[in-house]
Amino acid sequence: MSVQKLLFSGLKLSTSGRSRWISRLHDGINGNGKASLSSCSPKVCIVGSGPAGFYTAQHLIKARRDVEVDIYERLPVPFGLVRFGVAPDHPEVKNVINTFTQTAKHSRCSFYGNVNVGKDVSVEQLQQAYHAVVLSYGADGNRSMGVPGEDLAGVYSAKDFVGWYNGLPSCRELSPDLSCETAVILGQGNVALDVARILLSPIDILKKTDITQPALEALAESRVRRVLIVGRRGPMQVACTIKELREMVNLPHTRPEMVAADFEGVTEALKDVPRPRKRLTELMLKTALEIPGEKEQERRNKASRIWAFRFFRSPIEILADPDHSRTAGLRLAVNKLEGSGEGARAVVTGEVEDVSCGLVISSIGYKSLPIDPSVPFDSHKSIVPNNMGRVQQAAGLYCSGWLKTGPTGVIADTMNNSFDTARSLMEDMDSGTLDVSAAKPGSQSISALLEKRG
């Protein structure tokens, strides 16, 4: 078996015939390439190597000195959304990779990449080989807009667009057409603002990041000069955080373009909201309504690019060009709100408006997908039904991360929910609910299965 060293320390790529998989080779490897670890230790398999997978592994390894953890990943390399979903100009968020690497290097942790659970190996086969299986493979699907024209050229999901500029293997050939002047992003969360910022950032700033070279070259030639960030509700319901909004406000060579009427009544409503929401909304109000100081006005006057929030709007159709071959615009329903605060609901008014644009990026959320028919799955909520990470009606099967909760929160939330799952698993070990008395083969049987399949 040939072994080729990868770019990150401690991990090696193993290839054998058609099947390729990665495992961390540690000091316990014997001459046959098999790990000479205790056969009677509790063996846990984690499916998915993003934050949820690594946080679950980290907690298990730290809490129990006898547990052995194998992490299986569909991609050739680990770290999931931290590697492929974080904006390239946010390197501080990627620092958590250092912690995950230490976990991957641990003598009781091994990583296997290029293993597509559900296709290369079934969850039932993993359950036969391990005492417990934790599903942590995240939310790899896109939520559909469900409107006519969303399959036209020039319409992309934010997940794929972010994957393109971050070098996700499945998105490298995306080659988005950036020849239009106006782009519309549907959704007002942090990912939407990341995409807007990357589209409008000066190329000299992007050169200092780890953005991929093909994306950098495409953005250098981009003609996009105006980005509209559209949401179905109002300023009090935007899903982004103040950090991302502040980055947009201060982005060089850009100026904001807001509709003052969208902010009617907002100042009065701020009195009773939590502090983070209050600070975020105050920054929006200042950006939209206050007369800027002399220095800021001069900066705005020199701006060559524009970004704007558009509130109370929902997509109802992507409009095609005369040849019906690509995107030429977007038809939006004008909404009003019923209720207030976080629970406010957008209701259509019957009024519509058209926006000319050549690029539409849908950032309305990710969703988890079922990978194996043996695993219970709630298709409405797009999660695996669970109780504190214990998969319902499936002994020895657990879940963590977005598969457990849905795609919500920041990385700290994923850390906490993954730690909770690990605690549930350990409680079951300690109570005897999870039987770890019988020896299990772990990766030896799975590796043999993958070798056999080639």
Side-chain angles (χ1 to χ4, degrees):
M1 178 180 291
S2 63
V3 178
Q4 174 189 347
K5 214 168 191 179
L6 286 181
L7 295 178
F8 41 92
S9 174
L11 295 173
K12 296 185 179 182
L13 173 65
S14 302
T15 62
S16 177
R18 186 170 56 84
S19 174
R20 300 193 306 157
W21 46 277
I22 305 167
S23 68
R24 198 193 64 77
L25 303 180
H26 46 65
D27 293 336
I29 296 292
N30 63 30
N32 297 321
K34 302 294 184 183
S36 55
L37 296 170
S38 172
S39 60
C40 59
S41 297
K43 290 183 171 60
V44 177
C45 161
I46 295 175
V47 180
S49 67
F54 267 103
Y55 278 130
T56 304
Q58 175 186 317
H59 198 79
L60 288 171
I61 289 168
K62 284 186 176 180
R64 284 188 66 124
R65 294 189 175 184
D66 59 341
V67 71
E68 297 167 11
V69 177
D70 291 338
I71 302 174
Y72 291 88
E73 168 60 51
R74 178 175 55 85
L75 295 174
V77 291
F79 311 136
L81 277 182
V82 177
R83 178 186 290 271
F84 294 116
V86 174
D89 58 348
H90 283 176
E92 72 285 353
V93 181
K94 298 186 181 185
N95 287 341
V96 72
I97 285 178
N98 297 329
T99 302
F100 296 162
T101 300
Q102 291 307 308
T103 300
K105 285 182 175 182
H106 197 283
S107 61
R108 289 185 281 115
C109 182
S110 296
F111 172 82
Y112 298 88
N114 254 345
V115 179
N116 194 340
V117 173
K119 292 184 178 179
D120 299 332
V121 59
S122 71
V123 171
E124 287 179 342
Q125 287 169 325
L126 292 176
Q127 288 182 287
Q128 290 167 11
Y130 292 88
H131 294 101
V133 174
V134 185
L135 302 173
S136 308
Y137 60 82
D140 201 40
N142 297 309
R143 292 197 179 276
S144 170
M145 289 183 282
V147 301
E150 70 176 306
D151 295 328
L152 283 168
V155 181
Y156 306 95
S157 72
K159 184 180 78 70
D160 290 345
F161 196 83
V162 170
W164 167 69
Y165 62 63
N166 277 334
L168 182 65
S170 61
C171 299
R172 285 176 182 167
E173 306 302 320
L174 197 69
S175 299
D177 185 346
L178 305 178
S179 62
C180 61
E181 181 178 332
T182 299
V184 175
I185 302 172
L186 298 169
Q188 295 177 328
N190 283 345
V191 174
L193 267 65
D194 284 346
V195 171
R197 195 177 63 254
I198 295 300
L199 281 171
L200 295 177
S201 286
I203 208 69
D204 288 343
I205 290 179
L206 293 178
K207 283 180 180 177
K208 298 173 184 176
T209 73
D210 65 356
I211 193 169
T212 64
Q213 189 62 28
L216 185 66
E217 292 170 0
L219 289 163
E221 300 296 320
S222 170
R223 296 180 186 175
V224 175
R225 295 295 178 266
R226 183 168 176 256
V227 175
L228 305 182
I229 308 163
V230 177
R232 59 191 170 88
R233 298 192 293 173
M236 297 288 290
Q237 290 83 32
V238 292
C240 64
T241 55
I242 193 168
K243 176 181 182 292
E244 276 68 23
L245 177 60
R246 190 179 291 117
E247 287 175 326
M248 289 303 304
V249 171
N250 297 325
L251 190 62
H253 310 313
T254 71
R255 62 180 174 85
E257 182 185 84
M258 304 287 198
V259 178
D262 286 348
F263 294 87
E264 288 180 6
V266 170
T267 301
E268 294 76 16
L270 276 181
K271 297 171 185 175
D272 302 319
V273 300
R275 187 168 180 269
R277 170 66 66 184
K278 184 177 182 180
R279 292 177 62 232
L280 171 65
T281 311
E282 285 173 344
L283 179 56
M284 264 190 291
L285 281 167
K286 179 180 179 181
T287 305
L289 303 181
E290 284 191 14
I291 298 173
E294 183 178 343
K295 188 175 180 181
E296 173 63 13
Q297 188 61 60
E298 183 181 355
R299 188 185 79 86
R300 292 186 185 184
N301 290 341
K302 292 180 179 178
S304 58
R305 301 181 179 192
I306 295 168
W307 64 273
F309 278 130
R310 288 291 181 267
F311 298 106
F312 310 110
R313 302 291 187 271
S314 297
I316 51 178
E317 184 180 357
I318 312 293
L319 304 174
D321 64 4
D323 297 330
H324 298 281
S325 60
R326 63 167 296 104
T327 303
L330 183 64
R331 181 158 293 157
L332 297 168
V334 179
N335 302 328
K336 64 179 181 180
L337 289 189
E338 288 187 353
S340 61
E342 301 291 341
R345 193 166 64 93
V347 178
V348 296
T349 62
E351 184 183 347
V352 299
E353 67 181 29
D354 292 349
V355 176
S356 295
C357 62
L359 178 65
V360 175
I361 298 173
S362 172
S363 185
I364 58 174
Y366 301 162
K367 67 175 183 179
S368 296
L369 302 171
I371 60 168
D372 192 299
S374 70
V375 178
F377 191 80
D378 185 329
S379 57
H380 178 68
K381 295 181 179 178
S382 295
I383 62 169
V384 168
N386 69 90
N387 179 17
M388 291 296 290
R390 299 174 179 93
V391 176
Q392 292 177 7
Q393 299 176 336
L397 195 59
Y398 301 81
C399 61
S400 66
W402 282 359
L403 187 63
K404 173 184 175 183
T405 62
T408 182
V410 295
I411 196 166
D413 299 302
T414 298
M415 177 184 72
N416 289 328
N417 104 39
S418 301
F419 286 176
D420 286 342
T421 293
R423 279 190 282 267
S424 292
L425 198 162
M426 289 185 297
E427 286 171 8
D428 292 349
M429 284 186 185
D430 294 340
S431 68
T433 304
L434 182 66
D435 183 8
V436 296
S437 61
K440 291 270 191 171
S443 62
Q444 290 191 15
S445 67
I446 301 302
S447 297
L449 177 68
L450 294 172
E451 292 277 5
K452 185 177 180 181
R453 292 184 175 177

